[in-house]
Amino acid sequence: MTEYPEIAERFARDTAQHQMIVLHDDGLYRHLRFANPEYGNFGAFELITWPYNLVVKTGWTFHFDIDATEDMFDLFRRTALTGEINPGYWSEKVRAGRDEVEGFNPDLFEHQVKQYVVAAIRNGDAPRGIGAEVTRDIFEWGDINHEAGARKELEDFRYEDWTFGDTTEWKFYDFTPGFLWSCYAIRHGIDLWDAARTPEAEVAA
């Protein structure tokens, strides 16, 4: 079962009627396009490979490379099951597009803050009313749509001398939806390529 069901479901919807079009096929030099002819570029993506390199173009562009694997399709085949992805390992191989791999996740921020407050209440370390105060000051009034603002809200929070303490090690970022969607595109595209093995054909997704 995927760790990112919402992205997996979205990818499945976006690519339900895609066809694979082989634009170039010369050994390890490939250019494959996946799209629904009726919808043009919506949900379309491309895979481009050459020895030790793979580029995926999905609206985002990520360039992967690894000196140890000449055919990059082999890397993605070996490190994830059919239909699944391995963003942790694959992100280490990104040469270009690294700024788009991870980003601030407001849901992760909210989860960690609430989890910390609940633990403090259970342990008797937090004053009465702390939950409502955190909800109002941070989640309703706070500037928490970006990491710098979210961290400042935690740093500035005070309620009857209670604070969040040192939160510098708290992680509020995760793989971006664009990177995850691109990972699914790579794995799905390779699966279609392997199933087809007829470079001149257009194959229904």
Side-chain angles (χ1 to χ4, degrees), residues 180-196:
L180 294 171
W181 201 99
S182 297
C183 287
Y184 280 110
I186 293 170
R187 181 69 250 203
H188 184 57
I190 292 173
D191 291 342
L192 291 179
W193 170 258
D194 289 343

Side-chain angles (χ1 to χ4, degrees), residues 9 44 95 190 195:
E9 291 169 7
R95 172 179 291 273
I190 292 173

Side-chain angles (χ1 to χ4, degrees), residues 158-170:
R158 299 285 188 282
Y159 180 63
E160 296 185 10
D161 296 327
W162 188 91
T163 71
F164 281 94
D166 184 7
T167 61
T168 55
E169 297 300 318
W170 290 20

Side-chain angles (χ1 to χ4, degrees), residues 22-178:
V22 178
L23 300 176
H24 185 79
D25 175 27
D26 180 12
L28 299 183
Y29 297 84
R30 312 179 185 95
H31 188 174
L32 311 176
R33 177 174 170 81
F34 303 82
N36 182 339
E38 294 183 8
Y39 293 103
N41 290 327
F42 176 78
F45 64 92
E46 298 180 15
L47 298 182
I48 303 166
T49 67
W50 64 97
Y52 309 102
N53 292 268
L54 179 146
V55 170
V56 56
K57 300 178 69 174
T58 65
W60 303 268
T61 298
F62 296 98
H63 175 193
F64 300 78
D65 75 344
I66 179 172
D67 292 340
T69 306
E70 187 175 19
D71 185 353
M72 288 293 284
F73 276 13
D74 287 341
L75 173 74
F76 294 98
R77 289 187 189 106
R78 292 197 316 263
T79 54
L81 298 173
T82 299
E84 296 295 333
I85 61 174
N86 189 349
Y89 179 70
W90 295 352
S91 66
E92 299 172 2
K93 313 307 176 189
V94 174
R95 172 179 291 273
R98 295 201 62 84
D99 291 346
E100 298 296 329
V101 169
E102 291 185 317
F104 175 67
N105 186 326
D107 293 335
L108 183 59
F109 169 76
E110 181 175 348
H111 174 73
Q112 290 196 39
V113 170
K114 289 182 175 179
Q115 190 175 49
Y116 184 86
V117 171
V118 167
I121 293 172
R122 287 176 177 170
N123 294 334
D125 299 329
R128 184 181 296 275
I130 187 67
E133 195 72 15
V134 167
T135 296
R136 182 176 62 252
D137 283 6
I138 295 180
F139 298 124
E140 294 179 0
W141 295 350
D143 179 18
I144 59 172
N145 291 320
H146 55 99
E147 184 170 6
R151 290 193 178 279
K152 189 173 189 310
E153 294 295 340
L154 293 184
E155 181 181 344
D156 293 347
F157 183 84
R158 299 285 188 282
Y159 180 63
E160 296 185 10
D161 296 327
W162 188 91
T163 71
F164 281 94
D166 184 7
T167 61
T168 55
E169 297 300 318
W170 290 20
K171 177 183 174 181
F172 303 135
Y173 53 91
D174 198 356
F175 296 115
T176 64

